[in-house]
Amino acid sequence: MPLDSVNDFVIRFANVNGSGSASANQLFAHAILRMGVPVAPRNIFPSNIQGLPTWYEVRVSQAGHLGARGGIDLMVAMNPQTWDKDVAAIEPGGYLFYDSTRPVPKSRFRDDINVICMPLTEICNRRYSDSRQRQLFKNIMYVGALTALLDIDVTEVEGLIGEEFKGKDKLIAPNLEALHIGRDYAREHLACPIGLRVRRADAVGDRVYIEGNSAAALGAVYGGATVCAWYPITPSSSLAEAFTRHCARHRVDPQTGKHRYAIVQAEDELASLGIVVGAAWNGARAFTATSGPGISLMQEFLGLAYFAEVPAVIFDVQRGGPSTGMPTRTQQSDILLAAYASHGDTKHVLLFPEDPAEAFEFGAAAFDLADRLQTPILVMLDLDIGMNHRLCRPLAWDDARRFDRGKIMSMEDLEAGKDFGRYLDIDGDGIPYRTYPGTHPTRGSFFTRGSTRDRYARYTEEGGPYVDNMQRLLRKFETAKSVVPRPVRRDAEQPTRYGVIYYGSTSPAMDEAIEMLGRDGHRLDMLRVRAFPFHNDVADFVTDHDFVFVVEQNRDAQLRSLMINECGLDPVRLLPVLHYDGTPITARFISRAIAEHLDALKLTPLRKVVS
């Protein structure tokens, strides 16, 4: 039976990297969005430059489900190398669209799917003589065919083509021609529309469509960052590049044209954080963007910033590891690395945004937290959030908001005779006062070093002052619990013994999985963790339930381990649900894994009957 669904399906484009398909696939997704139907696209690409397979998956969901669902309803198979894998991924009753210029043996198909063929290469070869045109316009042609097959308003695609090539007007007409060649062929030779259709709706609302890395970079601008030092590494490079674009708009003096920012591509990741620490020590708000391998290399300077208490912000856009791992795949596998980065006893503040909107908010808030706590703040993004477009609530900013620079002792304070000890805890919260370099010609000056010192920054190797300083750092970490974003709790409609904890990019799939579990009679309370150190709400949530599932995208249950280590929780009550193959976690995976656990927990053992 052919699948039949309106505004609720998953389509995947299987292409060859470097074939120019990306812009065509994005046109397709944007056209559906323009029709008022939410989409969630995901680009699955290789780490080489050209030639290997790439996929572009679009989740179409009027209900607003933005997480990966699992399963493909329509496969646009443009890569012979991945044919068997692509065909196998199609749901029973789903559709296969392919280029039929070259014959494909019947054995390569499936009996339970619907095949749609179009001789794309043959049509392009007849129409165009240039090899590059043949390739590029073939992509636009299949988009045109899909507008007919899925009943997409072609005027939306036409408008997008006009916008994309604005300023290059000579390219508009040939792209429109290719679009209509594909559409006209489909309408004349294929049964249109198929069971999967797009119908105009009003389900997008005021939400914005933005990549997480771009949103985080804009948050850095609004958070007051003026210095960025970075070394290119996938998938974080686009964050620094976006910051460069945002600064060109928002950090240039309109009167003089002078740039009020500094962006440095360092020789490596360690050097980039060194620049950040130096700039922050001098009073600038500074950050770097990196991924797991970069965090590994930054350990020395992370320890220095923690121990010398210098503010710094690090955006960690996580990918698959260890070592080089899977550079263009997503995971949540840097949690323990980031929490305890550096040798010795260190603990770092981590923020876990769930989408671009929180990437913007946390990206800005990280600089206030870094200044207030005088410590590194790591914003834990991942490839799924960072490099994919996502619908999210509008990015909001209060123009009355002022930067929180923390405890700063001014020249007036020093002149008045206030006692300045760089590592002196006056208020009992573990946070000392600091001065900016040059605040006073004779008082309040200090050198920052990574070696042991007393409360007045005087060098010492005595055990007493060292212990005193380390205990104060723990008090500061305890203070951080009350200022980082609190967890978000959502209870089921009926009381339940079971709960689930999750974080970051797992969020949209988790929301849908809870709906799926509810339809099967499984109810769970939910807690989304948004920061480390953990607020007391985390331990309270666990104690409120018999068992709590901890859903994360890594092999070793890193968040669960962190919770056990930091909160003293019973490991037996924390059930790991782990997904780490490099693809985004799906609602189907979560619901299936939790349902299997719940069914096992509800089994009642048979009583032994003694005769």
Side-chain angles (χ1 to χ4, degrees), residues 176-194:
L176 290 176
E177 179 190 49
L179 177 75
H180 282 281
I181 289 174
R183 178 177 173 81
D184 293 344
Y185 181 94
R187 296 176 71 184
E188 183 177 348
H189 297 92
L190 305 175
C192 299
I194 60 174

Side-chain angles (χ1 to χ4, degrees), residues 532-571:
F532 172 74
F534 301 121
H535 193 276
N536 293 337
D537 290 352
V538 174
D540 292 343
F541 182 83
V542 175
T543 56
D544 286 346
H545 299 88
D546 292 349
F547 294 98
V548 173
F549 299 95
V550 184
V551 182
E552 44 188 322
Q553 299 179 67
N554 57 68
R555 185 196 69 180
D556 293 341
Q558 294 187 24
L559 187 78
R560 176 179 177 272
S561 298
L562 198 59
M563 289 165 54
I564 293 168
N565 190 47
E566 295 292 328
C567 303
L569 299 172
D570 180 3

Side-chain angles (χ1 to χ4, degrees), residues 216-264:
L218 189 60
V221 172
Y222 275 75
T226 57
V227 176
C228 169
W230 65 296
Y231 183 79
I233 180 172
T234 302
S236 72
S237 295
S238 61
L239 198 157
E241 292 162 354
F243 182 73
T244 303
R245 294 193 302 273
H246 295 323
C247 283
R249 293 184 60 192
H250 302 291
R251 286 267 188 274
V252 177
D253 189 301
Q255 305 300 325
T256 65
K258 184 178 180 180
H259 290 184
R260 297 180 295 188
Y261 61 92
I263 299 173
V264 182

Side-chain angles (χ1 to χ4, degrees), residues 463-475:
Y466 172 78
V467 171
D468 176 70
N469 189 64
M470 294 298 286
Q471 288 299 117
R472 181 184 56 76
L473 289 170
L474 275 183
R475 289 199 302 276

Side-chain angles (χ1 to χ4, degrees), residues 135-166:
Q135 179 59 59
L136 293 176
F137 288 132
K138 181 168 71 173
N139 300 326
I140 299 298
M141 280 185 193
Y142 69 61
V143 171
L146 290 173
T147 64
L149 291 166
L150 301 175
D151 206 16
I152 296 171
D153 187 346
V154 72
T155 62
E156 297 291 2
V157 185
E158 292 170 344
L160 287 164
I161 288 174
E163 292 173 20
E164 181 173 345
F165 296 109
K166 186 177 181 180

Side-chain angles (χ1 to χ4, degrees), residues 418-435:
K418 285 195 175 181
D419 185 17
F420 175 65
R422 176 61 187 95
Y423 301 108
L424 178 65
D425 182 8
I426 297 173
D427 305 315
D429 59 3
I431 305 172
Y433 279 81
R434 62 180 174 131
T435 60

